[in-house]
Amino acid sequence: MRVLKKGNGWRIGFNPVAKEFKGLVGTDEWAIELTEAELNDFCRLLRQLADTMQQMESELMDEEKITCEAESNLLWMEVEGYPHTYSLRFILNSGRGVEGKWDSSALHNLIQAAAMLDVF
């Protein structure tokens, strides 16, 4: 069953019957299709980065910003900002040369939606 979740400034989807590109991530202005493996890594790394930012909240002073990175063979991701509000960037390491970014206002809902995709 095809799943597409979207909100203000974000969208994420999964189509299990698609031949090659089963995943989709993007914003209101752009989107990129991902292979199932790329989408799995995207969701896994996003969850790891969100968990790291949550753990860092008690370690940092209120005015301290932080940057954290996570990477797989398929993509690189970075969160930047305060533990309670941060942006996300990613670069696809495959031959397609794609880079994307979500603002902090969209990220909380994107993280929740990614956790609900049943592609792990």
Side-chain angles (χ1 to χ4, degrees), residues 1-49:
M1 179 164 93
R2 184 178 154 181
V3 175
L4 178 63
K5 301 205 174 275
K6 60 184 177 175
N8 190 18
W10 65 274
R11 54 185 158 156
I12 187 167
F14 181 67
N15 183 359
V17 298
K19 290 185 181 184
E20 184 176 1
F21 298 107
K22 296 179 184 257
L24 177 122
V25 296
T27 68
D28 299 330
E29 289 85 30
W30 62 268
I32 178 70
E33 292 181 319
L34 301 174
T35 65
E36 186 171 4
E38 291 166 344
L39 182 63
N40 285 338
D41 277 8
F42 178 89
C43 292
R44 179 177 56 81
L45 295 174
L46 179 59
R47 186 173 50 248
Q48 284 178 0
L49 288 167

Side-chain angles (χ1 to χ4, degrees), residues 60-109:
L60 299 174
M61 294 177 23
D62 290 344
E63 64 275 1
E64 282 186 286
K65 286 185 176 182
I66 188 169
T67 300
C68 296
E69 298 178 7
E71 186 171 14
S72 73
N73 289 337
L74 301 175
L75 58 111
W76 170 89
M77 296 174 75
E78 173 189 76
V79 291
E80 181 178 21
Y82 302 100
H84 60 280
T85 181
Y86 49 91
S87 61
L88 169 71
R89 257 182 2 125
F90 84 100
I91 297 174
L92 199 55
N93 289 336
S94 70
R96 290 178 280 157
V98 174
E99 182 175 346
K101 181 178 181 181
W102 289 268
D103 293 329
S104 60
S105 62
L107 201 49
H108 177 73
N109 291 325

